[in-house]
């Protein structure tokens, strides 16, 4: 069993920055790819970015490339999302997610169904 708790969301002006954190409990954190997804009102939950278990590989959705950076600290069982140059269209509830950790440790999955565990979400609101 894995529990994930996100924090760091809030209200920010367009062009500003936020740093989200996700702290995990449970076993074998370093074997699990970790991802961030987001869901805006009236929209489907969408992939944002993922990172492999070791932190050596990442995969970003095109709209956030160059603006967002994912990182992880396996000793702290934590994953982070640094968000810069925020835009109003980034407004959403952001969710941290973890895989089962049974696949290729180099993979960075991007499908919702590849993630078995989810946090409660943290609201990010970007005003114009």
């Amino acid at each position: 069993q894995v529990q994930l708790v996100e924090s760091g969301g809030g209200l920010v002006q367009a062009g500003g920055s936020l740093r989200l954190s996700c702290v995990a409990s449970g076993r074998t954190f370093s074997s699990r790819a970790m991802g961030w997804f987001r869901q805006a009102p009236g929209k489907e939950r969408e992939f944002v970015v993922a990172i492999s278990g070791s932190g050596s590989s990442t995969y970003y959705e095109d709209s956030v490339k160059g603006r967002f950076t994912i990182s992880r600290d396996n000793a702290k069982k934590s994953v982070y999302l640094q968000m810069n140059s925020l835009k109003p269209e980034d407004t959403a509830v952001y969710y941290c997610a973890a895989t089962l950790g049974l696949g290729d440790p180099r993979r960075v999955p991007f499908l919702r169904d590849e993630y078995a565990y989810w946090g409660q979400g943290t609201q990010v609101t970007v005003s114009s």
Side-chain angles (χ1 to χ4, degrees), residues 3 16-17 27 29 32 34 38 41 49 66-67 83-84 87-88 99-100 103 114 117-119 126:
Q3 295 81 44
S17 298
R27 300 178 60 198
F29 179 78
R32 306 178 189 275
M34 300 292 295
R38 65 188 181 187
V49 62
R67 300 190 299 121
M83 305 185 294
N84 299 326
K87 304 174 180 179
T99 68
L100 288 171
E114 295 186 275
Y117 305 101
W118 296 83
V126 184

Side-chain angles (χ1 to χ4, degrees), residues 4-10 12 18-22 35-41 45-49 61 63-64 67-68 81-97 118-126:
L4 305 172
V5 179
E6 304 99 329
S7 62
V12 65
L18 285 172
R19 181 176 172 86
L20 307 184
S21 297
C22 173
W36 288 96
F37 291 74
R38 65 188 181 187
Q39 188 165 18
R45 182 174 45 184
E46 68 173 358
F47 171 79
V48 179
V49 62
E61 192 272 325
S63 70
V64 306
R67 300 190 299 121
F68 291 10
L81 183 63
Q82 179 67 46
M83 305 185 294
N84 299 326
S85 301
L86 283 162
K87 304 174 180 179
E89 51 263 48
D90 295 318
T91 295
V93 176
Y94 282 70
Y95 296 91
C96 177
W118 296 83
Q120 83 287 353
T122 185
Q123 176 71 47
V124 171
T125 302
V126 184

Side-chain angles (χ1 to χ4, degrees), residues 105-118:
R106 297 165 295 182
R107 288 201 310 120
V108 284
F110 60 89
L111 298 176
R112 294 191 302 271
D113 288 349
E114 295 186 275
Y115 290 86
Y117 305 101
W118 296 83

